[in-house]
Amino acid sequence: AAAGLSYVGGYVINTYKSYDNFLQDKYALLPAVIIICIAVVMFIIGLIGCCATFRESRVGLGLFLAIILVIFIAEVSAFVLGFVYREKVKTDVQGTMRSVFEKYDGKNPESTVVDYLQEQLHCCGVKNYSDWTTTQWFNSTGNNSVPRSCCRQDVKNCTGRLDQPQEL
């Protein structure tokens, strides 16, 4: 389990590089760091449990049980806090995404990240393609279309025009 969590934490940190323009808050990496720390602690706890079982130590097994109970209480607390604050996280991420979409011009690094995100997640805009109609890029191009990264991958010759929403 510790190795699996270490992999997940490392994967999140590595993936962060692709989305760091959307997550301007540097505390966005905090969950990944916490996951790696938990993996280290789980490894140590596993060793304690194995050693206590191998030696048949009642004190060691009691310590192992106490640690497992503390971890269970922490997991339940984290679940409750995640459930309570899910809307706040959602609105914060949407606000940051909207500000990045406002900076879109098709050339700057933020634009590359927006295109990458839309292609990888098969989405268009923050909620849908109509989010683009309020951006500065949409008004400056004057061609009534969204970026080509909004196009569905199975559609050939997509122009991103809003009069063909089935292609987006």
Side-chain angles (χ1 to χ4, degrees), residues 15-26 28 93 95-101 103 108-117:
T15 304
Y16 175 80
K17 295 173 187 169
S18 300
Y19 302 107
D20 63 347
N21 286 333
F22 287 107
L23 304 170
Q24 294 170 349
D25 188 4
K26 295 304 175 193
V93 170
T96 304
M97 287 178 70
R98 288 187 199 283
S99 69
V100 171
F101 276 62
K103 297 175 187 172
N108 62 16
E110 286 90 359
S111 300
T112 306
V113 172
V114 168
D115 289 336
Y116 176 78
L117 179 74

Side-chain angles (χ1 to χ4, degrees), residues 14 27 29 34 61 63 71-72 79 81 113 118 121 129 139 153 155-156 160-161:
N14 192 32
Y27 293 113
L29 279 178
I34 290 172
L61 288 174
L63 176 65
I71 289 173
F72 178 73
F79 174 76
L81 288 172
V113 172
Q118 291 184 148
L121 298 179
Y129 68 89
N139 296 328
Q153 291 179 347
V155 176
K156 303 274 190 266
R161 296 192 47 86

Side-chain angles (χ1 to χ4, degrees), residues 38-68:
I38 288 172
V40 170
V41 170
M42 283 182 66
F43 180 75
I44 293 169
I45 292 170
L47 282 177
I48 291 171
C50 287
C51 290
T53 303
F54 182 69
R55 292 182 176 194
E56 297 179 4
S57 168
R58 295 185 80 145
V59 174
L61 288 174
L63 176 65
F64 181 70
L65 177 65
I67 291 171
I68 294 297

Side-chain angles (χ1 to χ4, degrees), residues 101-107 111 132-145 147:
F101 276 62
E102 280 298 320
K103 297 175 187 172
Y104 186 91
D105 66 0
K107 299 175 186 108
S111 300
W132 282 101
T133 60
T134 60
T135 63
Q136 188 176 13
W137 177 82
F138 182 84
N139 296 328
S140 67
T141 58
N143 62 0
N144 199 30
S145 66

